[in-house]
Amino acid sequence: MILKVFTSLLLLFLVNSVWTRTVRQVYDDLGLDHWSHYTSECPQECFCPPSFPNALYCDNKGLKEIPPIPARIWYLYLQNNQIETLSEKPFVNATYLRWINLNKNKITNSGIESGVLSKLKRLLYLFLEDNELEEVPAPLPVSLEQLRLARNKISRIPEGVFSHLENLTMLDLHQNSLLDSALQSDTFQGLNNLMQLNIAKNSLKKMPLSIPANTLQLFLDNNSIEVIPENYFNAIPKVTFLRLNYNKLSDDGIPPSGFNVSSILDLQLSHNQLTKIPPINAHLEHLHLDHNKIKNVNGTQICPVSIALEEDYGHYGNIPRLRYLRLDGNEIQPPIPLDVMICFRLLQAVVI
């Protein structure tokens, strides 16, 4: 019993010593004068962690306005409040901001003061999800790398809003109110380094025009797309992940070589109206076709290379790379035909 008490006291002493040393180290590093200034300039509505002096946490505080932001702040957390407006005044001294999270507020386009965002010259990440925006805010800082606008009411994209955003790599517009008419041939002009574009859960009936050429990930789930235009993916030769789940694609809406694209490694076509597996490329690794109207699978027909030539490839040859195939929710009866396994020798999982 004495040993247990001694052990507990020793552990408590060590923990307290480490905590005291850590706090003292932070205090000493900042210096007495700096520490006093650091504490006094922190907005009373927010939390300024001593171990992370470049961050300001004002989330979940019921705020209706943004408090004055200290000059040292790089990371600003304002999510889950009641903020309706973005004005220039709180950001006058915040010239080093890199990250702003304004998700889950009540911000409207009319509540954003003209030019307030574009004046944040070092801003890299802007999160405005779950607000009440009706169009993409403009102008935006040219430094932006990520722009997240999901779950708003956006139905309009102002002309030229992205034209100077050459640093943007990720644009998230999913779950808004975009129609085909909102996406013109020049809408995404200027996004030369965009890698991920998410336009899922909108009201599109056609594949969007002029997707940036460097796009790697294109998400178009939960729209009403019926047709893939001939040679559509020639304009985006680097696309690797393509999601078209929950659309209205039928066999007639897919051209013979529609998805025979060497760059695509992950293709998702779940919850559509397909009755057969569309032609695919030998480089494809993951194929999702669940919940369509497919009745049977013919390995000879779907194999991207001739099964008769399989023996010529050898162990290191250019055999099809498909590793994952999902077919559940169709009208297919097991077992998987032998010619499918002969063609796709690298298959690791088949869901049927």
Side-chain angles (χ1 to χ4, degrees), residues 155-162 171 173 178-191 197 199 204 206-212 232:
S155 61
R156 182 174 176 270
I157 301 178
E159 183 177 356
V161 67
F162 302 127
L171 175 59
L173 287 163
L178 292 170
L179 300 171
D180 296 318
S181 58
L183 305 180
Q184 301 298 315
S185 59
D186 60 350
T187 295
F188 301 113
Q189 185 175 344
L191 299 179
L197 178 59
I199 326 178
L204 304 180
K206 300 178 181 178
M207 295 291 285
L209 301 171
S210 301
I211 299 297
Y232 179 84

Side-chain angles (χ1 to χ4, degrees), residues 42-49 56-67 76-83 101 103-105:
C42 182
Q44 62 179 2
E45 309 95 327
C46 308
F47 172 59
C48 298
L56 181 61
Y57 290 87
C58 307
D59 51 307
N60 295 287
K61 302 295 184 181
L63 300 179
K64 294 186 177 181
E65 296 181 350
I66 300 175
L76 177 58
Y77 299 89
L78 289 161
Q79 66 270 28
N80 293 301
N81 281 294
Q82 304 292 318
I83 297 169
N101 189 333
N103 292 345
K104 295 186 178 179
N105 278 283

Side-chain angles (χ1 to χ4, degrees), residues 112-128:
I112 301 177
E113 185 177 331
S114 179
V116 62
L117 294 173
S118 61
K119 291 178 181 178
L120 302 173
K121 303 296 186 182
R122 294 180 172 88
L123 193 65
L124 302 178
Y125 302 92
L126 178 58
F127 299 172
L128 279 165

